[in-house]
Amino acid sequence: MSRTPRLPSSLLRAAACTGIAALTLTACGSGSGSGSSSTGSGEVKVGLITKTDTNPFFVKMKEGAEKSAKAEGVKLMTAAGKFDGDNAGQVTAIENMVAAGVKGILITPSDSKAIVPAIEKAKAKGVLVIALDTPTEPQSAVDALFATDNLKAGELIGEYAKAAMKGKSAKIAALDLAPGVSVGVQRHNGFLKGFGATDKDVVCAQDTGGDQSKGQTAMENCLQKAPGINVVYTINEPAALGAYTALKAKGREKDVLIVSVDGGCTGTQAVKDGKIAATSQQYPLKMAAEGVKAVVTYAKGGKKASGYTDTGVTLISDKAQDGVASKDTAYGLDNCWG
C-alpha cells in the first residue's frame, strides 16, 4: 500500500541501508556477541524482504529488524521491491538470500500467491520463512505469520463508525485497496462486520491502491454517484486524506465521517486535527523485532516459530464512543510510525 507522509530524519537513516534497487541485498548491523550462533561463516544471517524501501511502514519495520539484529548479535540482510507488487524482485531477493546462507527470511509478500513457490524452495533448503504484515495464500506456505489482525482492525473502526452515527441512516463509501489483496479484503470485511452492514449497504466502492491522489479521485467519483454519502471507510490514511480533500472541496468535510486503518504519524495527526474521526493503529516495528528473535531461536536450537502471532491493534480517536474501547491521539502519536 502506498503511504505518502514525509519521513523524519531517523527513518531516512534507517531506509538508507536498504538501497534503491529491487534486487540489491544489503547487510546491516552484523554482530558477534553472545546472541549469535555458529554457521559455516561463524555468524547467523537473517533476511528481511519488504514490499518497498520507501513506504514509511516498511522503513519502520526495517528499523525494528535492525535494532533486534543488533541486540541479538546477528547480521541482517535486506532487500525490497522497486514498487508495491514487484513479485519478481522479491523472488530474486529470496534466491540471493538463500545463496548467501541466511538462517531465516522475514517477508512482506507483494503477491501473496505468486511468491509461494519461491518460499517453498527456501524452506526445502532449511530456511525458516516468516511472513510479516501480509499473509501468504495459503497462510500455511510460511512457517509463521507475525501481523496485525486486519479483520479486527476493520471491525474496530466499523464499531466506532456505527456508534458515532448514533442511529442515523448510513450511506457508506468504501475506498479499498485492490482486488484480491488479503490485507485490503480483511480490513473491508472487518469494517462491514463491525458496522453491522454488508456490501449491499455500500453505495459506492472504489479501489485506491492506498494512494492519496487516487483516494481523492475515488471520493470525487463517489460523490458524483451518491451525493448523500455520510460515512467513508478507507483502506489506509493516505486514502483517507485524499477523501478529506475531495470532501472539503465540496464543503462536506464536517458532515461526513471518515474512518481508516494504519496509525502512521501523519494519519494519527490527521485524527488529532479532526480530518479523520478514528483509525486502527498497527505496529510494524514489533512485527520485525519479533521475527528476528524467532529466527535466532531457530538458529540456536532448531525450534521453529509456527502459526499466527497477533502483534496488536489499537483504536485511536479523540472522540471516544460509548462501548468502543479506544485511546486518544496523545497515545497514538507516542506509538505511531513514519
Side-chain angles (χ1 to χ4, degrees):
M1 289 172 286
S2 299
R3 301 177 177 86
T4 55
R6 179 177 62 83
L7 297 181
S9 58
S10 62
L11 296 193
L12 287 171
R13 289 194 297 272
C17 200
T18 304
I20 298 173
L23 309 185
T24 299
L25 293 178
T26 344
C28 305
S30 62
S32 57
S34 60
S36 64
S37 63
S38 296
T39 65
S41 62
E43 64 187 346
V44 173
K45 297 176 183 177
V46 180
L48 173 68
I49 304 171
T50 53
K51 294 180 183 180
T52 72
D53 60 7
T54 55
N55 186 318
F57 184 86
F58 300 122
V59 171
K60 177 59 73 171
M61 183 176 282
K62 182 172 180 291
E63 182 182 306
E66 287 178 333
K67 288 181 178 179
S68 185
K70 183 177 181 180
E72 297 288 345
V74 300
K75 177 177 285 187
L76 180 70
M77 304 182 72
T78 64
K82 290 182 179 178
F83 53 88
D84 195 333
D86 182 13
N87 182 69
Q90 290 196 324
V91 169
T92 302
I94 288 175
E95 293 170 348
N96 290 344
M97 287 181 177
V98 172
V102 297
K103 196 67 177 177
I105 293 174
L106 314 174
I107 184 169
T108 59
S110 281
D111 188 317
S112 298
K113 293 181 180 179
I115 198 66
V116 169
I119 289 173
E120 290 176 340
K121 288 179 182 178
K123 289 172 63 181
K125 293 189 177 183
V127 176
L128 178 72
V129 182
I130 297 174
L132 304 181
D133 181 55
T134 305
T136 51
E137 295 182 45
Q139 184 176 314
S140 59
V142 291
D143 292 293
L145 168 67
F146 292 0
T148 304
D149 184 338
N150 281 293
L151 186 69
K152 181 179 178 182
E155 284 185 44
L156 286 172
I157 58 169
E159 291 169 359
Y160 179 92
K162 182 69 172 181
M165 288 299 288
K166 301 188 185 303
K168 292 187 292 185
S169 177
K171 293 185 178 180
I172 301 169
L175 304 194
D176 291 312
L177 182 58
V181 180
S182 57
V183 169
V185 172
Q186 291 166 1
R187 292 181 184 184
H188 174 100
N189 291 345
F191 168 79
L192 293 178
K193 181 180 178 181
F195 199 92
T198 69
D199 279 314
K200 293 181 180 179
D201 300 305
V202 177
V203 298
C204 182
Q206 297 263 307
D207 292 328
T208 68
D211 178 78
Q212 185 164 339
S213 62
K214 291 179 181 178
Q216 181 176 343
T217 300
M219 192 71 248
E220 290 168 349
N221 292 339
C222 282
L223 287 172
Q224 288 182 348
K225 179 181 178 181
I229 286 168
N230 55 11
V231 176
V232 180
Y233 153 80
T234 67
I235 179 63
N236 67 359
E237 292 144 4
L241 289 170
Y244 176 83
T245 300
L247 289 164
K248 187 174 182 180
K250 295 288 186 181
R252 297 285 315 282
E253 75 275 15
K254 293 183 180 179
D255 60 87
V256 177
L257 184 78
I258 303 174
V259 293
S260 194
V261 178
D262 265 356
C265 294
T266 297
T268 305
Q269 184 63 45
V271 175
K272 183 176 181 179
D273 294 341
K275 296 177 181 179
I276 303 172
T279 192
S280 287
Q281 187 170 73
Q282 53 183 335
Y283 305 102
L285 189 150
K286 183 177 180 181
M287 295 176 196
E290 293 300 316
V292 169
K293 291 177 184 178
V295 174
V296 172
T297 297
Y298 174 58
K300 285 181 176 180
K303 182 180 179 181
K304 289 186 175 182
S306 62
Y308 166 61
T309 298
D310 183 356
T311 52
V313 63
T314 306
L315 183 70
I316 303 297
S317 179
D318 283 334
K319 297 180 179 178
Q321 300 296 322
D322 291 341
V324 184
S326 65
K327 293 186 179 293
D328 62 19
T329 55
Y331 176 91
L333 290 169
D334 282 343
N335 291 277
C336 65
W337 45 266

